[in-house]
Amino acid sequence: MDMKFVSIKPVLLLSFILISASVFAQDQDTMESETVTVIKQYSPSVRDASKLKVTPPKTDSVTTTKKTVNYKIFSVPVASTFTPVKGRATKIKRERAPKIYDNYASLGVGNYTNILAEFYSNIEVNRDDNLGVYFLHNSSQGGIDEAQLDDKFYNTSLGLNYGRKDRDFAWKVGLGGQHQLYNWYGLPENLLLTNEEKFSIDPQQNYYSVFAEGEFELYGSIFDKANIQIRQSGDASGTSEQLVDFGAQFNFNINDIAVNTDVTANYVNGEAGKTYLYFIDSEVNEYSFLNLGISPGIVYLRDDLTLNIGVSLNYSADTKNSENSFYVYPKISASYNLVDDYFIPYAGINGSLNQNSYYNFVQENPYVSPTLAVKPTNNQYNAFLGAKGKLSNSISYNFRGSYQSLEDKALFRRNVLYATSTKGFEYGNSFGVLYDDIKVASFFAEISADLSSKFQLGVNGEVFSYDSDNQSEAWNMPDYKASVMGNYTISDKWIAGVNLFLVGERKDLAISDFSAVDGGITESKVTLDSYFDANAQVRYKFTDRLSVFVKGSNLFNNDYQRWINFNVQGLQVLGGLTYKFDYN
């Protein structure tokens, strides 16, 4: 047999099989010998292998228990001669801060013979003491086309104050006076008078006022500050009024809760001429009120929540009529910073007792008659709800809705036109004050934008709805107001500003009493049109000390009436100089 094609491994396997068969044959007698012939070599495959059923023990080092090793580091100081190079900060281009002067004087002249003069001086007596002096004057010789009587006016104020600032306290005292001249030039259109009769009317009214005031502030104590003002005012018609206002504030903390208390006291005493009551001429009007108030409250701050809780207790004594009243008002408000100063909702309710005065009436409406009745207004409550925040880092907003109840709200209304008038304010050309209980609903919106360091813009507006108890209208109260104010620094030399005002319609009542002539009394409700007033100013600085300015008022030359029959001046242009200086 030729075996040259047989490999070594098959021969060994075959030999093992033959030996095993021989041993097995020894136990079987019938086993016979047999010859095996190999015709080809053996080729094993994977499927011929049998799978082991036993898992061998793990001897991997992974399962070996780890021993804890303690490392000790020995710090050895190493001397180094390395010196780092110092960095240099990038230089920022500095702009020179404008020089601030303690004194300035300004003078301007315009059409209608308008004159504007201002002077302010702050004199440093020593390191702690300062002396201040100011003078303000605004006047016009008139010239309104529609005015049938003299319409000139002027308003002059002069004041002096002395103050000291120490490490622990500060105080200031002051004295001043004011003289105002106005004319009741707003004659009704239906009043038919000859030129001689008009010439006989004396429409001029002079208002006088002197005052003394003081302020005191104490640092680092429960007592915070206090202020007082004493004013004596009157007019050329014999009206006389004394007014005292006092206020003090106390603040301290209890367990991180701020506690504050306001104490107020005011006294008003006056005597005016006979009052208007429709067509009835009453006796001399005298009034005297003493009001005392205390308003304790706490301020709770927690994360983004700010909560103010307080109450205002007020006592009012009408000493002329021997009547006393006690008022309690809520002082509650809350705000929550909901989205990182971008959205802060707030709400609250408060109230107050507001003492009216003849002096304040004159500042609001200089064409009042010297016959006004004076008493306080009880602001029973003012509930509000709103949201404020910012639209970006340069634009902020504030929206608010409110509803308030006013008891004895003072309303200006045109006085009765008498057929037998003898005084300069009895021709339907002056205003009296009526009191009524009024509910006022309003919505206010405001947006302020600092678009750059050179341009600032503010826009706001408010709409009103009135519900009066006794009067048919809330006389001379506008149904809406809006304003736009902007300032633009054009360059280091040029500065411009603009003020725009829009006031809605108002209602007034015209009453004519001709009963002494023909027995007739007429009443008619009058609607005053809304008006728009645009004002602008441009200033050019020659130096830090000297500048020139031009002011424009009523730029669109609108012929409107702020008060019934009182037309305003048309386009007004005033130019002047301002000079700043120091004494040393």
Side-chain angles (χ1 to χ4, degrees):
M1 182 176 59
D2 189 358
M3 296 295 294
K4 64 180 180 179
F5 298 105
V6 180
S7 62
I8 302 295
K9 290 181 180 180
V11 172
L12 294 176
L13 180 59
L14 181 58
S15 301
F16 176 77
I17 293 173
L18 293 176
I19 295 172
S20 300
S22 174
V23 173
F24 182 74
Q26 292 177 1
D27 297 331
Q28 296 180 2
D29 297 337
T30 59
M31 191 74 173
E32 297 180 355
S33 62
E34 185 176 359
T35 301
V36 178
T37 304
V38 178
I39 59 176
K40 70 173 184 178
Q41 68 181 25
Y42 175 66
S43 299
S45 61
V46 175
R47 63 183 179 180
D48 294 332
S50 60
K51 184 176 180 181
L52 296 176
K53 302 295 184 182
V54 181
T55 301
K58 296 180 180 179
T59 58
D60 200 311
S61 61
V62 174
T63 59
T64 304
T65 303
K66 295 182 179 180
K67 296 182 179 180
T68 302
V69 180
N70 295 323
Y71 297 92
K72 293 184 179 180
I73 300 175
F74 299 94
S75 299
V76 179
V78 178
S80 175
T81 58
F82 172 74
T83 303
V85 178
K86 295 181 179 180
R88 295 183 178 180
T90 303
K91 293 183 178 180
I92 300 176
K93 184 179 179 181
R94 294 184 178 180
E95 295 183 1
R96 188 183 63 170
K99 169 68 175 176
I100 299 177
Y101 296 92
D102 292 332
N103 316 279
Y104 82 89
S106 182
L107 178 63
V109 180
N111 61 335
Y112 294 97
T113 320
N114 292 343
I115 298 176
L116 177 66
E118 297 179 357
F119 173 79
Y120 178 80
S121 178
N122 183 58
I123 303 171
E124 186 176 342
V125 179
N126 54 48
R127 181 178 178 181
D128 299 324
D129 296 1
N130 288 82
L131 174 66
V133 180
Y134 69 87
F135 170 78
L136 303 173
H137 175 82
N138 184 19
S139 65
S140 173
Q141 293 304 308
I144 300 174
D145 294 337
E146 296 81 359
Q148 302 180 56
L149 302 176
D150 189 5
D151 61 329
K152 67 181 178 182
F153 76 89
Y154 70 76
N155 188 348
T156 303
S157 300
L158 177 65
L160 177 71
N161 58 72
Y162 189 93
R164 164 174 285 191
K165 286 188 177 182
D166 206 334
R167 183 179 64 179
D168 300 323
F169 63 88
W171 58 265
K172 184 173 71 172
V173 294
L175 297 171
Q178 185 178 23
H179 178 205
Q180 298 170 280
L181 182 150
Y182 290 91
N183 283 275
W184 295 296
Y185 64 88
L187 292 178
E189 296 178 355
N190 61 345
L191 182 61
L192 301 178
L193 297 175
T194 64
N195 291 334
E196 183 179 355
E197 290 173 328
K198 292 179 182 178
F199 184 77
S200 66
I201 299 175
D202 182 13
Q204 182 173 292
Q205 172 68 299
N206 287 273
Y207 300 106
Y208 307 99
S209 176
V210 294
F211 67 89
E213 59 185 4
E215 299 177 5
F216 182 76
E217 187 172 359
L218 187 62
Y219 308 132
S221 69
I222 295 177
F223 173 77
D224 189 8
K225 57 184 177 181
N227 59 79
I228 186 172
Q229 184 182 79
I230 303 172
R231 182 181 295 273
Q232 168 68 48
S233 59
D235 58 32
S237 300
T239 303
S240 177
E241 182 181 77
Q242 300 79 45
L243 183 63
V244 180
D245 276 314
F246 170 80
Q249 296 180 3
F250 300 85
N251 297 291
F252 57 93
N253 294 330
I254 299 178
N255 295 330
D256 296 330
I257 296 179
V259 180
N260 54 68
T261 301
D262 294 339
V263 177
T264 60
N266 61 71
Y267 173 75
V268 60
N269 179 76
E271 178 178 327
K274 297 179 179 181
T275 60
Y276 277 101
L277 184 59
Y278 288 92
F279 51 89
I280 300 175
D281 214 3
S282 63
E283 297 300 323
V284 173
N285 175 35
E286 295 181 349
Y287 54 91
S288 180
F289 291 90
L290 172 63
N291 305 302
L292 304 175
I294 182 170
S295 302
I298 63 172
V299 180
Y300 178 78
L301 302 175
R302 186 66 63 190
D303 297 329
D304 295 322
L305 175 66
T306 301
L307 182 62
N308 295 272
I309 302 176
V311 64
S312 179
L313 309 175
N314 293 263
Y315 170 78
S316 180
D318 182 354
T319 58
K320 290 294 181 182
N321 299 312
S322 300
E323 295 179 357
N324 303 321
S325 301
F326 187 73
Y327 304 93
V328 180
Y329 304 104
K331 293 286 186 180
I332 302 173
S333 64
S335 65
Y336 189 79
N337 192 346
L338 195 60
V339 187
D340 294 334
D341 293 334
Y342 286 93
F343 183 68
I344 305 174
Y346 63 90
I349 183 171
N350 54 44
S352 60
L353 181 66
N354 304 322
Q355 178 60 61
N356 297 301
S357 67
Y358 180 64
Y359 174 80
N360 292 332
F361 286 149
V362 169
Q363 303 313 305
E364 186 175 354
N365 182 356
Y367 308 112
V368 294
S369 61
T371 60
L372 304 185
V374 174
K375 60 181 177 179
T377 295
N378 175 18
N379 187 352
Q380 295 176 319
Y381 61 85
N382 179 18
F384 57 90
L385 174 66
K388 60 184 178 180
K390 60 183 182 180
L391 301 176
S392 66
N393 290 331
S394 60
I395 302 177
S396 60
Y397 67 88
N398 186 13
F399 301 96
R400 180 183 67 249
S402 65
Y403 185 81
Q404 58 180 323
S405 176
L406 301 169
E407 185 179 58
D408 290 330
K409 167 64 177 174
L411 302 172
F412 294 106
R413 199 191 67 184
R414 194 176 80 165
N415 281 324
V416 179
L417 168 61
Y418 285 105
T420 57
S421 300
T422 58
K423 298 181 180 179
F425 56 85
E426 293 182 341
Y427 294 87
N429 56 338
S430 65
F431 294 86
V433 171
L434 296 174
Y435 294 88
D436 196 8
D437 298 342
I438 295 180
K439 304 290 192 302
V440 183
S442 64
F443 179 76
F444 172 82
E446 180 180 42
I447 295 179
S448 301
D450 291 330
L451 301 180
S452 68
S453 59
K454 297 183 177 181
F455 184 41
Q456 297 83 38
L457 181 66
V459 181
N460 65 69
E462 190 167 10
V463 295
F464 305 91
S465 177
Y466 308 99
D467 182 15
S468 53
D469 284 354
N470 299 317
Q471 301 297 316
S472 59
E473 299 285 348
W475 307 116
N476 281 292
M477 301 291 288
D479 51 9
Y480 64 86
K481 295 188 299 184
S483 65
V484 177
M485 289 166 281
N487 294 290
Y488 181 49
T489 304
I490 304 172
S491 66
D492 294 339
K493 299 290 186 179
W494 291 94
I495 301 174
V498 62
N499 295 323
L500 310 176
F501 300 96
L502 179 63
V503 178
E505 294 181 346
R506 289 92 59 219
K507 298 291 194 304
D508 207 327
L509 187 66
I511 304 177
S512 299
D513 177 15
F514 295 103
S515 57
V517 178
D518 56 11
I521 299 174
T522 61
E523 292 186 10
S524 61
K525 190 180 297 185
V526 181
T527 299
L528 281 75
D529 295 334
S530 60
Y531 65 86
F532 174 72
D533 198 338
N535 308 278
Q537 174 179 328
V538 178
R539 181 179 297 273
Y540 178 78
K541 296 194 299 183
F542 292 103
T543 65
D544 289 341
R545 294 176 179 267
L546 181 63
S547 62
V548 60
F549 63 87
V550 176
K551 294 183 178 181
S553 301
N554 196 6
L555 296 178
F556 294 98
N557 198 30
N558 293 328
D559 184 16
Y560 65 86
Q561 298 178 359
R562 171 64 182 90
W563 307 99
I564 185 172
N565 297 325
F566 283 83
N567 296 79
V568 300
Q569 295 178 344
L571 173 63
Q572 305 153 53
V573 179
L574 182 144
L577 297 172
T578 298
Y579 183 71
K580 303 175 183 179
F581 60 96
D582 286 331
Y583 290 115
N584 50 10

